[in-house]
Amino acid sequence: MEALLLLSLLCLGGCGVGVEVIRPRGVSLSNRHFYDESKPFTCLDGSGTIPFDRVNDDYCDCSDGSDEPGTPACPNGKFHCTNAGYRPQYIPSSRINDGVCDCCDGTDEFNSGFVCENTCKEKGRKAREALQQLAEVSREGFRLKQELIDGAKKGREEKQEKLSELQESKKVLDEQVEALKIKKEEVEKPEQEAKSVHQKAWEELKEAQRAAREKALEIEAFAELDDDEDGMITVSELQSHSELDGDSDGTVSDEEAQALLGGSEKADVTTFHDKVWPSIKDKYNSETVAEIPAPPLDVTAEEDLDSQIDSKLEHPHHEDEDYDDEDDDDDDDVTEEDHKEHHPKPPTDKTVDDKDKMPPYDEVTQALIDEAQKARDQYDEAVRSLKDMEDSIRNLEKEISFDFGPQGEFSYLYGQCYELSTNEYVYRLCPFNRVSQKPKNGGSETNLGTWGFWAGPEDNKFSIMKYEHGTGCWQGPSRSTNVKLSCGKETVVTSTTEPSRSVSRLFLHQVQPFGPCSGERASSQMAELGNTE
């Protein structure tokens, strides 16, 4: 699809008063010297020479029809309307005496019997008024163009100056960023070392807690399995726990129990720890849940917990000095509070989360972290400032690199957009950026092309702007747009036409001179934008 945006320039033409000179009917003043009655007439194409009395004799002698300028005898003849007071014109000789007034002075109907009113004077008056208005517009356009040129020159100088300042500031900021980066890396090293020490201590503590919990569970398991409290785990005592069944038949056989006991009939605390517990801990269902309190991070947890656990292994019920078999067997005497005390509920998720959460850093480590974070913040802020500055530099370089015309007169269009709303679409032109259209009743925007280059003819390069690489047409090329420019005072989109399904034209009228204005040239301007698939 190719779009065409046309800005047409109407030039101010001179208007003179015609001077009547005697010559054959239908001959223009500029050709009068070819029609000299004192000598034979030579056809203007040189095809022949005839006596002059055969000019306008209603018979075509010359192949170019030049011998019959005032009769319809030659099919290719041309009749000149003098139209004194207005613009002279040529009409086909076939229109002579056809009953239609083609010349405003009526000279084409000299022998038709039809009377034509001479309207040349009134037409001339209106034309002169229109040309005077166009001349005023042209002068205003030229004035505005000069203002734009002056503004463009000043703006370019300011942008160049700003670009130089930014480039110098960037050098300083580059050095600051590098210095802050070095500082950040310097303070991050002791921070990471301190955090690693803290993390390692926390991991060791968690491992000690895990080992302590496992030992506590082992203690409880030994105490629960040792029904007769003789300090030995026997085959029959293991058989009371069906979850230890190895062949999934629902019972623990003698052979299975002995295998768990390492081939023996019983196991003491040491054997239970070394052989039995490793093989049953994943299957064993404890009747209670043991919770070992976590020691502070700066306490050697493993040593303290080991002493507690070893004591429990040697004296399973040492912590309950009032332990009584009969009281223990009497379930009716156990209150709800006693049950909660001896059979605590499993820890909640919050408890687990708090337990697994690493404790706060000590003051020295936190101070190192704060110092490193401050350095990181300063470095990040400097990097952001540098990025913003680099973006500004790129945008300035891009704007300065644009060809805004011979004297920069089109720079005022940069960063502006102009729209036209029709029954179906909203067209949007953003000079030096893109052209698009969007359906008014919903739908996605279609890219009609992005800024490419100036594409005018060699003698008027800056009369056409080329926008290319738009949205691809269905089974066709990518859309593109041509913007043709001329001089004027307004920059608004006024109308659009679509001569076919694949072609549309958009007309623009500029609030500022959109094209080259000069001298007394008329400056009525418009733009025609079209799409061609």
Side-chain angles (χ1 to χ4, degrees), residues 260-432:
L260 292 174
L261 293 172
S264 302
E265 294 291 331
K266 58 179 67 178
D268 58 11
V269 171
T270 302
T271 304
F272 181 81
H273 175 74
D274 295 338
K275 296 182 179 181
V276 180
W277 179 244
S279 62
I280 71 171
K281 64 181 180 179
D282 294 333
K283 298 180 180 180
Y284 183 76
N285 291 331
S286 176
E287 296 177 1
T288 62
V289 177
E291 279 296 320
I292 303 298
L297 187 59
D298 57 350
V299 174
T300 307
E302 187 172 0
E303 179 180 348
D304 291 348
L305 290 173
D306 283 346
S307 62
Q308 297 177 36
I309 293 168
D310 290 342
S311 174
K312 286 191 175 186
L313 285 173
E314 294 176 3
H315 307 286
H317 299 286
H318 177 71
E319 69 279 14
D320 188 0
E321 296 180 354
D322 297 330
Y323 180 80
D324 191 318
D325 287 337
E326 292 181 1
D327 292 342
D328 187 49
D329 292 337
D330 190 0
D331 293 337
D332 293 337
D333 295 336
V334 178
T335 65
E336 183 178 353
E337 288 73 13
D338 293 335
H339 180 80
K340 290 181 179 179
E341 181 179 353
H342 291 89
H343 301 278
K345 293 182 179 180
T348 62
D349 292 340
K350 185 177 184 305
T351 303
V352 173
D353 291 343
D354 291 343
K355 179 180 64 178
D356 292 339
K357 185 177 180 181
M358 186 170 65
Y361 295 108
D362 59 80
E363 292 184 3
V364 175
T365 301
Q366 187 61 50
L368 293 173
I369 293 173
D370 292 343
E371 183 182 3
Q373 186 59 48
K374 181 180 179 181
R376 281 190 290 270
D377 292 342
Q378 292 175 340
Y379 172 75
D380 292 342
E381 179 62 29
V383 169
R384 282 192 294 270
S385 298
L386 179 61
K387 183 180 181 300
D388 292 341
M389 185 175 293
E390 289 173 341
D391 290 341
S392 298
I393 290 174
R394 278 194 297 270
N395 290 335
L396 271 176
E397 289 176 338
K398 179 181 178 182
E399 184 173 351
I400 291 173
S401 70
F402 277 124
D403 184 355
F404 289 127
Q407 297 174 289
E409 55 265 45
F410 300 107
S411 62
Y412 80 99
L413 294 171
Y414 185 77
Q416 304 297 319
C417 291
Y418 306 96
E419 289 188 352
L420 170 66
S421 180
T422 66
N423 291 334
E424 295 184 67
Y425 300 104
V426 174
Y427 293 86
R428 184 175 177 84
L429 166 65
C430 300
F432 302 103

Side-chain angles (χ1 to χ4, degrees), residues 32-271:
R32 173 66 183 89
H33 61 282
F34 293 118
Y35 296 85
D36 186 352
E37 298 179 1
S38 63
K39 57 185 178 181
F41 174 75
T42 300
C43 301
L44 297 185
D45 64 355
S47 59
T49 300
I50 60 174
F52 192 83
D53 59 3
R54 291 168 62 178
V55 174
N56 282 341
D57 65 348
D58 206 21
Y59 183 84
C60 190
D61 297 291
C62 298
S63 60
D64 62 356
S66 58
D67 63 315
E68 299 296 320
T71 75
C74 297
N76 57 343
K78 292 181 179 181
F79 179 86
H80 182 265
C81 302
T82 302
N83 292 342
Y86 189 53
R87 297 188 184 96
Q89 70 179 116
Y90 280 98
I91 63 172
S93 296
S94 59
R95 295 184 184 179
I96 297 175
N97 296 322
D98 62 352
V100 178
C101 299
D102 296 292
C103 303
C104 68
D105 59 4
T107 54
D108 59 313
E109 300 298 318
F110 61 89
N111 196 30
S112 66
F114 189 83
V115 178
C116 295
E117 181 183 357
N118 190 328
T119 60
C120 292
K121 184 177 180 180
E122 180 62 19
K123 283 188 174 182
R125 183 185 66 79
K126 290 181 179 180
R128 285 189 294 274
E129 289 178 355
L131 290 173
Q132 288 173 356
Q133 293 176 356
L134 291 175
E136 292 176 2
V137 173
S138 180
R139 284 191 292 270
E140 178 64 11
F142 178 73
R143 183 187 66 79
L144 290 174
K145 178 184 177 182
Q146 292 302 313
E147 290 180 0
L148 291 176
I149 291 173
D150 295 341
K153 181 180 179 182
K154 181 179 179 181
R156 185 177 180 84
E157 291 174 352
E158 291 175 350
K159 290 181 178 65
Q160 288 284 12
E161 183 179 352
K162 184 177 180 180
L163 178 60
S164 299
E165 291 175 356
L166 285 174
Q167 289 171 337
E168 289 299 319
S169 298
K170 181 180 177 298
K171 294 178 182 178
V172 176
L173 192 52
D174 280 332
E175 296 175 356
Q176 292 177 354
V177 168
E178 186 61 27
L180 289 172
K181 180 180 179 182
I182 294 173
K183 179 182 177 181
K184 178 179 74 74
E185 292 172 348
E186 288 176 349
V187 296
E188 280 180 338
K189 185 175 181 180
E191 175 204 31
Q192 291 301 322
E193 290 175 351
K195 289 174 69 173
S196 296
V197 170
H198 186 88
Q199 180 70 28
K200 182 178 180 181
W202 169 233
E203 295 295 338
E204 290 175 350
L205 176 60
K206 287 197 297 183
E207 178 59 26
Q209 291 173 347
R210 185 199 62 77
R213 285 193 292 270
E214 185 172 329
K215 281 194 175 184
L217 185 58
E218 180 183 345
I219 293 170
E220 296 298 333
F222 187 90
E224 291 174 357
L225 288 170
D226 187 11
D227 292 335
D228 55 9
E229 300 182 8
D230 62 351
M232 302 292 288
I233 304 300
T234 63
V235 170
S236 60
E237 289 172 334
L238 285 179
Q239 289 176 327
S240 64
H241 284 259
S242 60
E243 74 271 12
L244 302 179
D245 173 30
D247 55 9
S248 302
D249 62 358
T251 61
V252 180
S253 64
D254 291 346
E255 292 76 10
E256 289 175 334
Q258 287 180 356
L260 292 174
L261 293 172
S264 302
E265 294 291 331
K266 58 179 67 178
D268 58 11
V269 171
T270 302
T271 304

